[in-house]
Amino acid sequence: MHYYRYSNAEVSCWYKYLLFSYNIVFWVTGVAFLAAGLWAWSEKGVLSDLTKVTGLHGLDPVVLVLLVGIVMFTLGFAGCVGALRENICLLKFFCGAIVFIFLLELAVAVMAFLFQDWVRDRVKEFFENNIKSYRDDIDLQNIIDSLQRINHCCGAQGPEDWDFNIYFNCNSESKSREKCGVPFSCCIPDPAQKVVNTQCGYDIRKKSKNQWDDQIFVKGCIHALEAWLPRNIYIVAGVFIAISLLQIFGIFLARSLISDIEAVKASNAF
């Protein structure tokens, strides 16, 4: 009986092009995030003066967009090139990075559940720092306004938190017209009013607290988010599971392709 062996075994095209298709989405999305982030920075003049980023005490949302873009671009590039060129080093890098991100997400979720008070304090501190920088960055301002408007909340714990901002502070020495007020996003919208009144929060905190309920949201955004989570737990869990399954699928493809390449190289070595 004679046994025949092909001298030039080939890697499975299924694993190879499935992984390439999987990663091309990462790569294109990463490019889109990077382009959007750089465009936003150019509009704010940051590219010509980087001190505008370091001088911001709160979070510049563009930094987050750029970081996500860099990670997705790097992973997409490594996965695409690794799959097409059958490069084990790039594939192992891609696989290891996805595993690390997955474990990091899992650790954050577990820590958030076990140390809820610590997480609440950090969120409060984070929100207060961003309130201080509300007028310093237009992107940060838009995010805070959207958060307050959508969740019907004002400040971290309540409207008094706007004392952290120099423009809304009730300090007697303040010359700001917004003194002792709140942003317009804290105001209860009037259904009959089609044009947004950006001055609706002026001087509101000079009035007694009994009058606040009729004009502004008095619930803090931390409490609003805590109330939102139980109502939408299935949506949050569904999103987390979907992301986890995509990551596991990517890990499976990368590991399968690596094993296939190693088997082919071992076969062709004889």
Side-chain angles (χ1 to χ4, degrees):
M1 182 179 293
H2 298 281
Y3 294 93
Y4 295 95
R5 177 176 57 83
Y6 293 104
S7 58
N8 295 311
E10 294 183 355
V11 174
S12 170
C13 290
W14 281 104
Y15 291 140
K16 184 174 181 177
Y17 291 110
L18 267 177
L19 185 61
F20 174 78
S21 301
Y22 177 91
N23 279 283
I24 199 69
V25 177
F26 270 89
W27 187 76
V28 172
T29 306
V31 170
F33 271 91
L34 285 173
L38 292 174
W39 173 80
W41 262 6
S42 67
E43 288 291 304
K44 293 191 289 187
V46 173
L47 294 180
S48 58
D49 184 8
L50 290 176
T51 59
K52 292 183 178 180
V53 176
T54 57
L56 182 65
H57 298 293
L59 170 70
D60 184 351
V62 179
V63 174
L64 185 60
V65 171
L66 287 171
L67 286 176
V68 172
I70 290 170
V71 171
M72 295 188 75
F73 177 87
T74 305
L75 289 178
F77 179 81
C80 285
V81 176
L84 288 180
R85 301 296 298 173
E86 299 174 11
N87 188 305
I88 292 180
C89 290
L90 286 176
L91 290 173
K92 285 185 175 180
F93 167 77
F94 168 80
C95 190
I98 294 292
V99 170
F100 174 76
I101 292 172
F102 176 76
L103 293 177
L104 186 63
E105 291 169 351
L106 196 60
V108 169
V110 172
M111 294 288 285
F113 179 77
L114 294 177
F115 303 99
Q116 294 181 25
D117 291 336
W118 182 86
V119 171
R120 190 181 293 110
D121 291 339
R122 299 290 76 76
V123 171
K124 179 177 178 290
E125 182 181 337
F126 174 77
F127 204 102
E128 288 173 354
N129 286 334
N130 285 294
I131 285 176
K132 293 177 185 177
S133 304
Y134 175 77
R135 290 294 188 205
D136 299 341
D137 184 85
I138 188 64
D139 294 319
L140 177 62
Q141 180 177 311
N142 289 335
I143 286 180
I144 292 176
D145 283 335
S146 297
L147 179 65
Q148 294 189 143
R149 192 166 53 247
I150 293 171
N151 292 284
H152 294 175
C153 60
C154 187
Q157 302 280 11
E160 296 95 335
D161 289 334
W162 283 99
D163 271 335
F164 290 113
N165 188 280
I166 59 172
Y167 296 99
F168 297 97
N169 193 292
C170 288
N171 192 313
S172 58
E173 298 178 358
S174 175
K175 305 271 185 209
S176 172
R177 179 62 190 87
E178 296 174 309
K179 173 184 174 181
C180 233
V182 292
F184 74 94
S185 54
C186 285
C187 297
I188 298 174
D190 183 357
Q193 196 174 45
K194 295 183 179 180
V195 179
V196 177
N197 179 10
T198 57
Q199 299 179 0
C200 61
Y202 283 12
D203 303 322
I204 186 65
R205 289 189 295 122
K206 291 180 180 178
K207 302 177 182 179
S208 65
K209 291 186 178 181
N210 295 332
Q211 296 176 285
W212 290 7
D213 290 351
D214 298 329
Q215 295 179 266
I216 63 172
F217 303 119
V218 294
K219 183 190 294 184
C221 288
I222 293 177
H223 300 303
L225 290 173
E226 287 176 344
W228 176 89
L229 187 58
R231 295 197 307 267
N232 298 273
I233 189 66
Y234 293 112
I235 296 175
V236 174
V239 170
F240 181 78
I241 291 171
I243 293 173
S244 299
L245 289 175
L246 283 173
Q247 291 172 327
I248 292 170
F249 180 63
I251 294 168
F252 167 76
L253 287 178
R255 289 303 308 166
S256 298
L257 185 56
I258 290 170
S259 299
D260 211 13
I261 293 170
E262 289 176 340
V264 169
K265 285 186 175 181
S267 175
N268 290 335
F270 293 102

